[in-house]
Structures are given as structure tokens and as C-alpha cells.
Amino acid sequence: MTRYADIWSRRYDFLSTHEKRSNFTGSLGFVLAAAGSAVGLGNIWRFPYLAAKGGGGVFIFVYIILALTFGFTLLTTEIAIGRKTAQGPLTAYGKINKNWRFIGFFAWLVPIIILPYYCTIGGWVLKYFAEFLTGHGTDTAADGYFTGYITSQWAPLIWMLIFLAATAFVVFNGVNKGIENYSKILMPILFVLVIGIGFYSLTLKHTDAEGITRTGMEGLKVYLIPDFSGMTVKQFFIVLMDAMGQLFFSISVAMGIMIAYGSYAKKETNLMKSINQIEFFDTLVALLAGLMIIPAVYTFAGLEGMSAGPGLMFVSLPKVFEAMGTMGGLIGILFFLMVIFAAVTSAVSVMEAIVSSIMDKFRYSRKKSTAITTVYTLIFGTLVCLGYNKLYFELELPNGAVGQILDIMDYLSNNIFMPLVALCTCILIGWVAKPDTVIDEVTIGGYKFGRKALYIAMIKYIAPVLLFILLVQSFGVF
């Protein structure tokens, strides 16, 4: 009797937990929240640079093909795992196969590493928005302004704390009142801002000190028209790897986020339709980010002005806004407002991946789980900020780059653990649990699984090979 009582007790606990789990009220909330997660700093400051570097249309073509195949496979897999198990990333993989639950730990570790430095960068964005809003945007274009700011002792800490508080507030309010409601508000505004700034960039015209005139439409050609001149097989391979690496940022896979969000999707939700919408929205915003930035930078600084990461957003673009004159102040306000929305929606999803896992693993309340995550992020976010002054050091990374605390955390999460999580997930679903684990979940309710044959081929053979190459590349092998 005791054994049966124990079995029923555990079954009751599971069902009780499952019943209490929050859900998105509909597919719109789910799609906007998932898209909000994907539309972040990676799309805004990394995609345009890679597109310019990778031959414009060449990179875009490769990226779209990968999004429809490689990205589709990883996105479908993670969302299906989340809904099937109704668990966060830390415990979801163990529900699929207990011998592979270690993947869950690494999938949970990725957002744990990312969140502190993401909030630090989010603080930088808030600082720049405040400068433009108060009419001091031209100050940000001065040489050495960005370096002077991040190496100061208190300002980065204060702005990081404000950004963290905003992120924690949304997560603290839960799936419906927090994540879903704010996604429905912020994402449409973000979309309008991206489109508006993008089309404005096309109208720009500038003559530099040497008498060379460039226009936004010429920048659009640089962005969209493929440039194969001088491109070798090795260079094309690098474009392929760059596009694949960018997909991790653009669709938020291999960091536990889509598993967490998938766990809140209702069983009656048409997953394939939602996945297609997320895929389309993410790709569209990535392309629009390039449309917004490349023509503007090209007009005022030429291709030499294109850089990646903080150099693009906090150094190059403020100089572009300054060169625009009076209109540049307004565009700067709108641009950094858009970036705030993108950063907050992404940071919320990263925090939610951590919080949902704590709730599922330790049965803590949302409030307690959010508080724990916030305190942890504050401590390590402080270390990241101090990494540019009191704790400054330089370390050469395996890929040849030299970095500080933020760069090391970014390298570990994006270059090592994310490809590793994705590779192990493909092996688990492709060969251990079998593709039907995902296919059966997606087709619940009689819905069709589009690109089914493609999915099976990708999850079993093609994706693992590509991910292994990407992982090896991270160690600087080639």
C-alpha cells in the first residue's frame, strides 16, 4: 500500500504542478513573446555588420536559407520539448530521457551567464537614450565618450540596476500580466520604429570632406545586392558560419528560452503555425535592422564605418546621428528607444528561462525565484561593470580575440555552450528519443507538420554536422 500511495502522491504532485502552470492566453501572445525574445541586441548590432562584411546579398541569401532549414529545426525542437514536458530547460530534457538531463543543465547555464552582461549592456542603452532625450546626444559622438563612460565607476552600475529592475518587474508579474501583456505593447511599437527609421535611412544624402556624395539608396544596394567579387570558397564558408552563428541570436535557441516559452503554450495552439510566424517575424526584423543601419552608416561614413557590437551602436551610430544635424537628435531618441524595447523583451526572456527552471526544479514561487535571480544578476552584473575599471584585465581567447570579463562570458555562452547544447539536442531527438517525439507533439489536434522530411534530415544528419563545425571553429581551429 505504501508503494502505491507513494506513486499516487508523486502523480498528484506532478499533475498539481502542471495544472498550476501559467499559459499564454493565445497564440498571438506566444508569438509576440517569442519574437520579442529573439529581436534583441544581436539583431541590431551584429546582423548589419555581418551582412556588410559577408558580401551584402550573399550573407542575406545564406541567412534566409539557414533560417528556413537549420533555424526552423532548432526552433521547432525546443518549442515542442517545452510544451511536451511543461517544464523549464533545466528539467525538460530529463523528462525526454533521464540519461540526457545534463543537456538541461547547460541549457540553463547559458542564460545564467548571459543575463548579467546583457543587463550591463542594457544599462548602456538607457544611458545613451537619456543623453539624447535631454538634448546631449551630440556629446555621445565625441571621441572617447563611450570608453570614458564604461570605465567610470558608478554610472554603469546605476544604469545597469535600473535596466535589471525593469526586467525583473516584468518577470515578477508572471506569464500573462507580465511577459505576454508587455510583449503585446512593446513589440508593435518596436516594429513601427524599425520600419520608420529604416525608410528614413533610405532618404539620406551626404557629401563628405573629400567631395564624395553618398546616398541611402546606394547603401541599400550595398546591403541587398550580392557581391561575389574576390570571394573564395573559404570566404564563403566563413559567411556560412557567420550566418549560422547569427541564427542563435536571431531565433533565441540553445539558451533554454524557447523551451520555457514553449512550456507555456496551450495544447490547442497550432505550434507549426506559430513557429512559422515566429520564424517570419524574426527574419523580417533582422533584415529591417540592416535596412535601418547600413544605408545610414554608409551615407555618412562609407563601408569603413561599419563595425560590430558596441562599436557600431555606441560609437559609429552617434557620429552618424550628429552628422544628420537637427534631425539626428530625434532619430537618436527613436533609435535608442527602439533598442530599449528590443533589449528589455530579450532580457525578460533570458531571465524567464532561469526563473522557470528554478520554479520547476525546486518548487519555489515565482516571486522567490525572481528575487533569487535578480540578486544573482545584480552581483555578477556589478562584476561585469567593474571589469572595465577596478577589475580590468585582458585575456586572449581561443578564437584569437582579447577580452575582459564581459567578453569572456559572451565567448563561453555564445561560442561554446550554445553550439554544444544545440548539438546534444539534435543527437537526443534525432537518434535517442527519435524525431517522432517532436513530430507527435506538433501534430496534436490534427495539425499538419510542414517540412516534415526536411526536419528529419536536418535533426538527424545536417544540423549535427554544421553544429560540430561551428563548435570546432570556436576554438580557433580554422
Side-chain angles (χ1 to χ4, degrees):
M1 288 294 292
T2 303
R3 186 168 74 89
Y4 288 109
D6 180 58
I7 292 173
W8 278 105
S9 175
R10 281 182 288 169
R11 176 174 170 78
Y12 174 79
D13 286 342
F14 172 76
L15 290 175
S16 177
T17 302
H18 185 75
E19 288 168 357
K20 291 178 182 177
R21 191 173 193 84
S22 299
N23 292 114
F24 290 115
T25 56
S27 59
L28 176 63
F30 170 53
V31 170
L32 288 178
S37 162
V39 179
L41 296 175
N43 268 3
I44 296 168
W45 74 17
R46 196 167 182 265
F47 185 92
Y49 165 75
L50 291 177
K53 170 183 168 229
V58 179
F59 176 86
I60 293 174
F61 175 75
V62 172
Y63 178 86
I64 292 175
I65 295 298
L66 285 175
L68 294 173
T69 54
F70 178 76
F72 163 76
T73 301
L74 297 182
L75 186 63
T76 301
T77 300
E78 293 201 0
I79 290 176
I81 288 175
R83 193 177 76 166
K84 183 179 182 66
T85 61
Q87 296 283 294
L90 181 60
T91 50
Y93 285 94
K95 296 289 183 181
I96 300 295
N97 187 303
K98 64 181 181 180
N99 294 325
W100 288 73
R101 60 180 177 269
F102 70 89
I103 306 177
F105 172 76
F106 288 109
W108 185 50
L109 184 62
V110 171
I112 286 176
I113 296 173
I114 289 176
L115 188 59
Y117 76 77
Y118 205 95
C119 286
T120 299
I121 299 172
W124 299 350
V125 177
L126 285 177
K127 165 67 174 177
Y128 271 63
F129 174 70
E131 292 284 40
F132 275 90
L133 191 63
T134 56
H136 297 99
T138 54
D139 294 345
T140 65
D143 292 336
Y145 179 88
F146 177 60
T147 302
Y149 166 66
I150 64 173
T151 55
S152 61
Q153 187 169 345
W154 295 108
L157 288 170
I158 294 170
W159 287 108
M160 180 271 291
L161 180 59
I162 295 172
F163 184 88
L164 172 59
T167 302
F169 174 79
V170 176
V171 176
F172 186 84
N173 279 294
V175 175
N176 305 127
K177 294 181 180 180
I179 298 169
E180 184 172 3
N181 283 352
Y182 284 97
S183 294
K184 286 180 177 179
I185 296 170
L186 297 181
M187 289 308 295
I189 298 174
L190 184 151
F191 192 64
V192 170
L193 288 173
V194 171
I195 292 176
I197 297 173
F199 278 104
Y200 177 75
S201 293
L202 299 180
T203 67
L204 296 172
K205 184 177 181 180
H206 176 70
T207 302
D208 62 19
E210 298 177 359
I212 299 174
T213 300
R214 289 183 291 264
T215 67
M217 291 304 295
E218 291 172 350
L220 179 64
K221 293 179 181 178
V222 171
Y223 177 46
L224 294 179
I225 297 177
D227 180 13
F228 289 98
S229 60
M231 182 171 287
T232 63
V233 174
K234 181 179 179 180
Q235 289 172 329
F236 181 79
F237 177 76
I238 292 173
V239 171
L240 175 66
M241 290 296 105
D242 284 345
M244 188 162 59
Q246 176 61 29
L247 268 174
F248 283 109
F249 299 100
S250 293
I251 58 175
S252 289
V253 291
M255 55 183 81
I257 293 170
M258 289 305 168
I259 292 178
Y261 278 6
S263 73
Y264 301 134
K266 293 180 178 179
K267 286 294 184 181
E268 56 265 31
T269 297
N270 183 340
L271 279 193
M272 187 52 57
K273 180 180 178 181
S274 296
I275 289 165
N276 289 337
Q277 290 171 343
I278 295 168
E279 189 179 25
F280 171 78
F281 195 87
D282 294 346
T283 304
L284 178 62
V285 173
L287 294 174
L288 286 174
L291 177 67
M292 176 177 62
I293 291 173
I294 290 180
V297 174
Y298 175 81
T299 299
F300 291 97
L303 282 178
E304 298 77 17
M306 287 300 301
S307 57
L312 174 62
M313 186 177 296
F314 301 112
V315 179
S316 299
L317 283 176
K319 292 183 183 298
V320 169
F321 297 145
E322 182 187 38
M324 289 180 183
T326 305
M327 195 64 183
L330 175 61
I331 297 299
I333 292 172
L334 296 177
F335 174 79
F336 282 106
L337 178 64
M338 179 273 297
V339 178
I340 288 173
F341 289 169
V344 168
T345 52
S346 292
V348 163
S349 67
V350 174
M351 180 177 279
E352 181 61 27
I354 303 171
V355 169
S356 67
S357 292
I358 294 175
M359 292 170 65
D360 292 333
K361 178 66 175 179
F362 303 105
R363 303 294 178 90
Y364 289 166
S365 68
R366 171 169 289 275
K367 293 180 179 179
K368 185 175 181 179
S369 301
T370 305
I372 292 171
T373 306
T374 302
V375 171
Y376 154 80
T377 306
L378 177 60
I379 293 171
F380 282 86
T382 300
L383 292 177
V384 172
C385 291
L386 294 177
Y388 287 99
N389 44 71
K390 297 289 186 181
L391 302 179
Y392 182 83
F393 65 87
E394 291 185 350
L395 179 70
E396 185 174 352
L397 301 173
N399 61 1
V402 176
Q404 299 79 41
I405 294 176
L406 188 152
D407 302 301
I408 293 170
M409 295 173 74
D410 183 66
Y411 173 78
L412 288 174
S413 59
N414 298 341
N415 294 67
I416 304 299
F417 291 124
M418 285 169 65
L420 182 63
V421 168
L423 175 60
C424 291
T425 300
C426 288
I427 296 172
L428 170 63
I429 299 301
W431 298 96
V432 181
K434 305 300 182 183
D436 282 344
T437 304
V438 167
I439 294 170
D440 291 345
E441 182 63 30
V442 172
T443 53
I444 285 178
Y447 294 116
K448 291 184 179 180
F449 191 114
R451 293 174 274 177
K452 180 178 176 180
L454 170 67
Y455 175 81
I456 294 173
M458 289 297 300
I459 198 75
K460 289 174 70 87
Y461 306 106
I462 303 172
V465 172
L466 291 175
L467 287 164
F468 178 76
I469 295 172
L470 185 64
L471 186 61
V472 172
Q473 186 192 37
S474 299
F475 290 99
V477 175
F478 52 84

